[in-house]
Amino acid sequence: MSFSLSRLVVALGAGLLACAAQAAEVQVAVAANFTAPMKDIASQFEKDTGHKVITSFGPTGGFYSQIQNGAPFEVFLAADDTTPEKLEKEGGTVAGSRFTYAVGKLVLWSAKPGYVDDQGAVLKKNAFKHLSIANPKTAPYGAAAVQVLAKLGLTEATKSKLVEGASIAQAHQFVATGNAELGFVALSQVYKDGKLTGGSGWNVPGDLYEPIRQDAVILTKGKDNPAAQALVDYLKGPKATEVIKAYGYGLQ
């Protein structure tokens, strides 16, 4: 091997080692409603940065309990702003890292085309047998659904028809499989690029429920992980925000 070729091999090897040293893994807890956009964002993030994202999807309340019990998560993308704020006050986050990455929207949805009208009158007709919502105690979208029913004066009328999912993912599954004729789900679960991906729905007016501000934060376990900070920065960037908007979320 010539001297110049040897130097080239050494240089390439050093470059590869440097890239490997800089790349890292980050453990991320992600609210169930953000599953589809996060998969898109994580894939692009890995291509752009070389870091690897290990995601877990589930209810925000459940993740809070897991984090309190020592789960190895380094970044938390919640379905609300109160849970990350609570962790922040408890000293479980990196100071100054919390921000709103998306503003969620609620939709009354059915897998059946034409079943839900664009004014939500199907609720007042009350001809359905089952109405799916996420557990309002642990899932912010479930709490929002309860607020909507209360403001419409339908709490008592629908009480016996409610089917609660442990998370917004399960609430959506109940409707998608036909176990419930309709349900309150996250718009992001049934919407992309300006239209519903199937079925029929009513975009619930924002004045019927409290704003669903979804905050992200770096947890203390991720304070020394460059991939954690890189992911949070990426979520604020143009590629990620474009994906977030495509799934129907608002931005703050």
Side-chain angles (χ1 to χ4, degrees), residues 74-77 84 87-88 92-101 215-220 222-223 228-229 231-233 235-236:
E74 297 166 293
V75 175
F76 183 25
L77 275 64
L87 285 167
E88 188 177 62
T93 69
V94 173
S97 66
R98 181 167 62 91
F99 75 102
T100 300
Y101 67 92
D215 279 9
V217 69
I218 299 176
L219 302 169
T220 51
K223 65 179 180 179
Q229 184 62 58
L231 178 61
V232 166
D233 291 341
L235 284 167
K236 300 175 183 178

Side-chain angles (χ1 to χ4, degrees), residues 84-121:
E85 183 181 20
K86 187 176 181 181
L87 285 167
E88 188 177 62
K89 290 178 178 177
E90 294 169 347
T93 69
V94 173
S97 66
R98 181 167 62 91
F99 75 102
T100 300
Y101 67 92
V103 179
K105 297 179 183 179
L106 191 68
V107 61
L108 179 67
W109 180 73
S110 173
K112 303 175 184 178
Y115 190 85
V116 177
D117 60 284
D118 60 7
Q119 298 298 315

Side-chain angles (χ1 to χ4, degrees), residues 175-196:
V175 184
T177 57
N179 288 309
E181 298 98 311
L182 70 171
F184 285 103
V185 302
L187 180 61
S188 60
Q189 294 173 299
V190 297
Y191 178 95
K192 191 176 182 183
D193 297 329
K195 61 182 180 181
L196 290 176

Side-chain angles (χ1 to χ4, degrees), residues 156-176:
E156 288 302 317
T158 58
K159 190 174 182 179
S160 64
K161 299 184 178 186
L162 294 182
V163 180
E164 285 189 12
S167 68
I168 196 65
Q170 190 174 47
H172 171 266
Q173 184 181 29
F174 287 157
V175 184

